[in-house]
Amino acid sequence: MLKHKNITAFCISVFFVLVVLYFYFEVKWWFILLPILLWLIVTVWGSSEIRLGYFTKTYCNNPNEKQRKIGLSFDDGPHPITEKVLDVLQKNNVKATFFCIGSQIEKHPDIFKRILTEGHIVGNHSYSHSNYFGIFSTKKVKEEIDHTNTIILQLSGKKALFFRPPFGVTNPRIAKAIEQTKHFAIGWNIRSLDTVIKEESKIIKRVKSKVALGGIILLHDTSLKTVTVLEQILLFLKSENYTIVPIDKLLNLQAYEN
Ligand SMILES: [Zn+2]
């Protein structure tokens, strides 16, 4: 939130200085629009890029990681395809982190339980994953977080502390809800774009080019394409001597409340 407050204060100050200059020194009128434009650009950029931690502190990697550790995260499940992802992870003895949507957990409680039984970490990824999440009020975002946490608690006995905002979007209202519900905002720094790019080879190439110590890879356990991609990524990480660890271990954060 500090970054956003500083930029806002800076833009307001420049705006008033330009207004004064306009009246007393006849600078061009459109100069006054520049701080407004700058504020808009930075705010939109800060909202869409979770790695900037523009509105709230976000955890997107461990920059201090010295060993070859990396985290795998899967969003938007549980889904029937999650089972295939779990099979691949089990075969390779890899533990990952799943950011689950509350309404999906309600549809597939057994798959959700399997994620936990097999030793993976789960986090909260809202209840509805609505396309309008970015315009929700603080109250509504809090309701989404609480609702999903209740579902997770009922099925697992655990209170999740990790929250990943849908689409990685943050703004002052989402930031406030995360802070008030005392969650860690978890992002990523290696975006596979597995739901956007059509060709598997391109997704794999993209991930390979971005892999780094302490990084967090973002995948989605909702598409068959991702299962194939995952197998290739695991092979690559193994060949590069990476150890895949759940995000709580990578970031040294507590995934659940005691
Ligand atoms: Zn998502």
Side-chain angles (χ1 to χ4, degrees):
M1 200 64 176
L2 196 63
K3 289 179 186 173
H4 177 56
K5 277 185 180 158
N6 287 346
I7 289 285
T8 303
F10 172 76
C11 289
I12 290 171
S13 310
V14 174
F15 174 79
F16 282 113
V17 168
L18 288 170
V19 169
V20 170
L21 290 175
Y22 170 71
F23 281 112
Y24 293 99
F25 299 97
E26 292 179 355
V27 297
K28 296 267 188 293
W29 67 269
W30 52 265
F31 268 43
I32 298 170
L33 297 180
L34 293 178
I36 301 171
L37 195 65
L38 174 71
W39 185 85
L40 280 173
I41 291 169
V42 176
T43 302
V44 170
W45 186 34
S47 299
S48 58
E49 189 60 75
I50 194 163
R51 274 194 289 164
L52 296 176
Y54 187 63
F55 295 101
T56 189
K57 179 161 179 52
T58 56
Y59 300 85
C60 301
N61 68 329
N62 180 352
N64 302 317
E65 182 60 59
K66 301 280 185 298
Q67 293 171 325
R68 296 183 77 77
K69 285 185 190 165
I70 198 160
L72 268 183
S73 65
F74 294 91
D75 284 12
D76 299 357
H79 183 277
I81 289 170
T82 309
E83 299 251 50
K84 296 193 186 305
V85 168
L86 288 170
D87 291 343
V88 175
L89 295 175
Q90 194 176 42
K91 199 172 76 187
N92 289 276
N93 194 25
V94 164
K95 305 297 179 208
T97 306
F98 289 79
F99 287 92
C100 300
I101 300 173
S103 59
Q104 286 297 115
I105 304 174
E106 283 178 336
K107 277 186 212 156
H108 308 287
D110 291 339
I111 301 176
F112 176 77
K113 284 183 191 163
R114 188 183 156 194
I115 296 173
L116 284 163
T117 307
E118 296 186 2
H120 306 288
I121 295 290
V122 294
N124 186 325
H125 194 40
S126 83
Y127 178 76
S128 66
H129 205 285
S130 165
N131 287 336
Y132 305 107
F133 202 82
I135 56 167
F136 280 2
S137 65
T138 304
K139 184 170 169 270
K140 180 93 175 112
V141 175
K142 276 174 75 179
E143 279 168 13
E144 289 257 341
I145 296 174
D146 288 341
H147 193 173
T148 296
N149 266 11
T150 304
I151 298 166
I152 293 175
L153 186 66
Q154 279 166 355
L155 289 171
S156 68
K158 296 172 193 286
K159 185 186 177 287
L161 293 176
F162 286 179
F163 176 69
R164 177 172 278 172
F167 316 106
V169 167
T170 52
N171 59 37
R173 296 179 304 282
I174 295 173
K176 205 184 239 180
I178 293 171
E179 279 156 24
Q180 287 180 359
T181 56
K182 297 188 172 63
H183 281 72
F184 298 114
I186 310 290
W188 59 81
N189 69 337
I190 305 165
R191 189 176 205 169
S192 65
L193 291 179
D194 57 342
T195 53
V196 181
I197 301 172
K198 285 194 177 72
E199 290 159 66
E200 291 165 4
S201 60
K202 282 190 182 162
I203 303 170
I204 296 160
K205 201 174 158 194
R206 185 184 157 85
V207 173
K208 281 182 178 177
S209 71
K210 290 178 180 293
V211 158
L213 305 190
I216 298 176
I217 301 175
L218 167 64
L219 293 157
H220 293 82
D221 49 329
T222 51
S223 118
L224 270 180
K225 198 169 49 186
T226 302
V227 181
T228 319
V229 166
L230 173 63
E231 288 185 309
Q232 293 303 312
I233 291 174
L234 292 182
L235 277 174
F236 173 73
L237 293 175
K238 205 173 176 182
S239 72
E240 295 282 311
N241 292 319
Y242 273 97
T243 307
I244 299 162
V245 293
I247 287 175
D248 59 336
K249 300 271 185 318
L250 188 81
L251 300 172
N252 301 313
L253 292 177
Q254 218 179 305
Y256 310 111
E257 201 175 275
N258 286 327

